[in-house]
């Protein structure tokens, strides 16, 4: 690999950002608006899959699409300012740029809201692709020529493997290191603070 050709993909929730406080607040607001009881503490323990896969636990299947639209409309008001960058997130993206590469965020989150998070937290991604989960993330990874994909979920590992990209997992989300290794991650880091040194070694090798 040469730095000139380097493109690294990053997942968003629980990889670059800790969106649990904001998502918790948005689900609380959704519960109040719809009158449906939602265990918001439980919801934020299983972030990663598409919104609709969570909503089906709380709403009849025929209502999920409409409720998802309501949630996404409410999201900027309730979820952006309460969300924090995870340790090492900005530095990880900066390390890719320092190596002459591009950093592309590929996430299951609705793309406009994903962009709001990155703008608010000043994480300087070169491109953002939303609405893709697990194996479908390979569509964007291939489009941008990503040779590495960084994520916190076994679904992210599957996306990397489908794209024939090197799977870098971080144990900052709902899946622990053992689960990520079992899913086929090439390397598991504690968090993104370890990523710049890993990238230096990877590109040198």
């Amino acid at each position: 690999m040469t730095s000139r050709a380097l493109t690294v993909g990053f997942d968003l929730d629980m990889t670059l950002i800790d969106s649990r406080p904001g998502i918790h607040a948005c689900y609380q607001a959704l519960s109040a608006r719809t009158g449906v009881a939602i265990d918001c503490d439980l919801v934020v323990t299983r972030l990663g899959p598409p919104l609709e896969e969570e909503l089906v636990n709380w709403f009849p299947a025929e209502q999920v699409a409409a409720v998802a639209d309501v949630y996404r409309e409410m999201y900027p008001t309730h979820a952006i300012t309460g969300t924090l960058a995870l340790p090492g997130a900005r530095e990880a993206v900066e390390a890719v740029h320092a190596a002459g590469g591009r950093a592309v965020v590929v996430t299951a989150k609705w793309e406009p809201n994903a962009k709001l998070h990155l703008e608010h937290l000043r994480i300087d991604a070169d491109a953002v692709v939303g609405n893709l989960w697990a194996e479908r993330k390979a569509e964007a990874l291939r489009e941008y020529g990503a040779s590495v994909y960084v994520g916190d979920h076994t679904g992210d590992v599957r996306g990397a493997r489908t794209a024939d990209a090197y799977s870098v997992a971080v144990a900052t989300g709902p899946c622990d290191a053992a689960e990520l290794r079992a899913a086929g991650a090439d390397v598991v880091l504690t968090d993104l603070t370890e990523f710049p040194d890993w990238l230096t070694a990877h590109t040198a090798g």
Side-chain angles (χ1 to χ4, degrees):
M1 179 190 300
T2 63
S3 61
R4 183 176 300 170
L6 177 66
T7 298
V8 177
F10 290 91
D11 177 49
L12 184 63
D13 291 84
M14 302 313 299
T15 298
L16 288 171
I17 67 173
D18 184 354
S19 51
R20 291 173 296 183
I23 288 175
H24 191 283
C26 196
Y27 269 98
Q28 284 184 316
L30 181 68
S31 178
R33 180 162 170 174
T34 61
V36 173
I38 300 173
D39 186 342
C40 304
D41 292 335
L42 176 60
V43 167
V44 297
T45 67
R46 51 192 187 197
L47 301 182
L51 170 63
E52 289 81 359
E53 291 189 20
E54 182 60 48
L55 291 177
V56 78
N57 296 305
W58 312 104
F59 296 89
E62 66 273 14
Q63 296 180 18
V64 164
V67 174
D69 287 342
V70 171
Y71 175 93
R72 290 177 177 128
E73 177 188 338
M74 298 170 66
Y75 193 93
T77 299
H78 297 281
I80 301 301
T81 58
T83 291
L84 305 173
L86 280 165
R90 294 186 189 89
E91 292 82 358
V93 171
E94 289 165 3
V96 175
H97 292 154
R102 298 183 302 170
V104 178
V105 172
V106 182
T107 174
K109 190 180 292 296
W110 194 48
E111 190 172 302
N113 287 340
K115 290 178 177 178
L116 288 176
H117 277 302
L118 295 169
E119 291 166 7
H120 177 72
L121 294 171
R122 298 181 181 177
I123 296 174
D124 187 21
D126 297 284
V128 182
V129 182
N131 317 311
L132 296 177
W133 164 240
E135 287 82 357
R136 287 200 60 213
K137 291 190 173 191
E139 298 170 17
L141 297 175
R142 288 176 178 141
E143 178 185 351
Y144 284 91
S147 56
V148 176
Y149 185 58
V150 186
D152 66 281
H153 199 285
T154 56
D156 299 323
V157 177
R158 299 200 307 273
R161 306 305 291 182
T162 303
D164 294 323
Y166 199 93
S167 175
V168 177
V170 285
T172 47
C175 303
D176 64 25
E179 289 177 273
L180 295 165
R181 290 190 189 96
D186 292 298
V187 64
V188 180
L189 308 178
T190 302
D191 59 31
L192 285 177
T193 63
E194 299 177 0
F195 179 81
D197 286 344
W198 174 85
L199 183 66
T200 296
H202 182 67
T203 54

